[in-house]
Amino acid sequence: MKKRIILHIDMDYFFAQIEERENPQFKGKPIVVGADPRGGKGRGVVSTANYEARSFGIKSATPISRAFRLCPQAVFLPVNMDFYEKVSLSVFKIVSKKAKKVEKVSLDEAYLDLSDKCRSYKEAEKVGEEIKKEIYKKERLTCTVGIGENKMMAKIACELAKPDGLKVIKPSQTKKIIEEMPLETIPGIGPKTKEAIQKYLKKKNAKIKDARKIKKEKLIDLFGKRGDDFYHKLRGVDNSLVEGERKAKSVGKEHTFQKDTRDPEKIIKVFRRLVGDVYRQAKEEKIKGLVVVCRFEDFETHTKQASFEPGNYKEDFLYKKGVSLLLRFLTRSNKKIRLIGFRVSLPE
Ligand SMILES: [Mg+2]
């Protein structure tokens, strides 16, 4: 593979930072954006916490009732998504000017492929500085930038530099830098995989360098296809591309309910319409899969997907497949639903 320079940008504690900016009176206080804590009895989770709140052990996805117990004096704020989306648009306007290929990961995170634009890491670092400066000038918000030879290393550099930082990991440093890091630094290695690796190594708190001792065949034996991927990632190799045109590979639509609801009839009726709209847009295309999105009242967002052989499928087929996924959201949680979405993926 051709040598690449990849930049990862991540806004610092995005939602909470926006709230700090909008409410200077809260500056310096722990701020938790997320579900309503209702005196510790609320349901739902923390969406974002600022660093003051994090020092109490509160993080994204912490149950809101637990966050309240950890720090009752924190400022608890509801998620003002429409506003954060506007800020995100303005941030992305700046970011997308810096590279031809920009992959938006979420409202506040993106990868840029700078390989064509920059001949050296020095040049890429300058681009990173510009991005930080321009975002701050326009939005008065800080972000962190990481630069590396691939997406994984750019992301790791970014994690190491948070908050308000900029870090470059050159290819010559890659192997050494990740050697001492915990296994879960590798994307795809979660608690379960980590445990399996440690069990195999008979070693607690195994680090990346320990797992490098496992032969490729053994990793494949243990984890199938993922094992092959881990083998490379443990050595700092990640060939995944920055997918700039990712959006064009799918057609989709979302609907936000006026009022959060759990009424299945209402939800399914809207869903039927979404499927119809998407079907008409994608009719001429071969379809290879579908995704159902569900955002609950506390903004926790989940997706379920199905994939099939690329082909021209009928609307009814897509609806039946989709609705069976949708029903799982309805039966598995008793939270109200704020938004549902449907999209189909098209072959590249
Ligand atoms: Mg962020």
Side-chain angles (χ1 to χ4, degrees):
M1 193 174 210
K2 191 182 145 236
K3 291 231 178 316
R4 297 186 295 160
I5 303 181
I6 308 296
L7 181 151
H8 184 247
I9 171 198
D10 188 353
M11 298 300 295
D12 301 322
Y13 60 105
F14 190 43
F15 300 169
Q17 200 191 166
I18 295 175
E19 294 294 352
E20 273 180 7
R21 182 191 75 183
E22 295 299 303
N23 307 282
Q25 72 274 24
F26 297 150
K27 186 98 190 154
K29 291 185 181 164
I31 295 178
V32 177
V33 178
D36 181 357
R38 267 178 228 176
K41 291 193 186 80
R43 290 182 300 120
V45 296
V46 172
S47 182
T48 317
N50 67 354
Y51 279 83
E52 284 82 354
R54 286 179 201 193
S55 71
F56 289 88
I58 300 171
K59 325 183 263 207
S60 297
T62 301
I64 200 75
S65 52
R66 185 174 150 72
F68 188 84
R69 281 198 303 277
L70 288 168
C71 185
Q73 72 274 29
V75 180
F76 287 90
L77 298 169
V79 181
N80 187 356
M81 193 58 87
D82 295 343
F83 185 61
Y84 309 153
E85 272 168 0
K86 265 186 211 140
V87 179
S88 169
L89 270 181
S90 152
V91 167
F92 270 92
K93 230 183 193 170
I94 295 167
V95 170
S96 34
K97 279 188 197 134
K98 302 295 177 187
K100 269 193 225 137
K101 274 193 215 150
V102 177
E103 178 181 340
K104 188 173 169 178
V105 184
S106 64
L107 279 186
D108 76 318
E109 251 183 84
Y111 289 100
L112 279 64
D113 189 337
L114 298 177
S115 316
D116 299 332
K117 180 176 171 145
C118 300
R119 273 161 309 167
S120 67
Y121 280 81
K122 216 68 254 105
E123 279 181 41
E125 194 174 348
K126 277 209 189 98
V127 174
E129 279 163 6
E130 276 168 32
I131 289 176
K132 284 176 65 66
K133 226 186 259 162
E134 287 171 35
I135 292 176
Y136 191 77
K137 196 169 161 215
K138 179 87 208 300
E139 288 294 334
R140 299 276 142 197
L141 294 171
T142 64
C143 66
T144 299
V145 168
I147 296 167
E149 60 185 296
N150 55 45
K151 281 162 80 174
M152 178 178 76
M153 291 315 299
K155 170 110 179 156
I156 288 174
C158 188
E159 289 301 323
L160 291 171
K162 274 179 188 180
D164 196 12
L166 170 65
K167 185 174 175 65
V168 177
I169 299 180
K170 289 188 186 152
S172 59
Q173 305 167 306
T174 291
K175 257 187 136 173
K176 192 111 195 95
I177 283 192
I178 60 170
E179 208 161 71
E180 298 295 331
M181 292 190 147
L183 287 175
E184 56 269 34
T185 311
I186 305 294
I189 299 190
K192 263 194 202 154
T193 309
K194 181 180 177 176
E195 212 184 292
I197 293 176
Q198 297 194 141
K199 208 168 144 202
Y200 177 76
L201 287 169
K202 298 194 180 68
K203 189 171 176 138
K204 278 206 168 142
N205 301 319
K207 292 175 177 166
I208 287 177
K209 67 170 178 202
D210 301 312
R212 274 186 199 156
K213 289 178 195 138
I214 308 174
K215 287 212 173 81
K216 191 170 169 183
E217 293 72 32
K218 188 68 214 172
L219 282 169
I220 295 173
D221 220 32
L222 288 168
F223 306 110
K225 227 173 142 188
R226 290 165 60 224
D228 184 58
D229 186 47
F230 294 157
Y231 178 85
H232 295 291
K233 288 199 168 142
L234 288 165
R235 286 154 182 82
V237 177
D238 170 16
N239 289 329
S240 63
L241 300 175
V242 172
E243 298 189 54
E245 296 92 337
R246 194 185 245 182
K247 268 198 178 150
K249 287 176 206 148
S250 71
V251 176
K253 227 180 156 182
E254 292 182 340
H255 175 87
T256 305
F257 293 99
Q258 292 250 312
K259 247 185 173 176
D260 300 346
T261 178
R262 268 197 65 71
D263 179 355
E265 229 173 279
K266 204 170 174 183
I267 295 168
I268 288 171
K269 200 172 142 199
V270 168
F271 187 73
R272 172 114 239 177
R273 210 186 64 223
L274 290 179
V275 173
D277 289 350
V278 170
Y279 172 73
R280 277 185 291 281
Q281 264 190 67
K283 209 156 61 173
E284 308 293 314
E285 315 261 6
K286 283 202 176 0
I287 291 170
K288 63 163 192 171
L290 57 84
V291 183
V292 176
V293 183
C294 180
R295 181 171 295 150
F296 292 103
E297 54 190 329
D298 55 5
F299 282 89
E300 219 181 281
T301 307
H302 293 274
T303 59
K304 287 196 187 295
Q305 42 198 320
S307 48
F308 16 88
E309 280 298 308
N312 298 95
Y313 293 98
K314 292 245 156 60
E315 180 179 349
D316 210 43
F317 171 85
L318 298 174
Y319 171 74
K320 274 186 191 145
K321 280 258 178 205
V323 91
S324 72
L325 300 176
L326 179 73
L327 285 174
R328 283 201 243 158
F329 289 122
L330 287 170
T331 48
R332 232 183 251 164
S333 163
N334 45 27
K335 283 186 261 186
K336 285 187 184 156
I337 290 172
R338 173 183 165 86
L339 169 150
I340 55 170
F342 177 76
R343 75 176 178 263
V344 292
S345 34
L346 316 173
E348 277 124 69

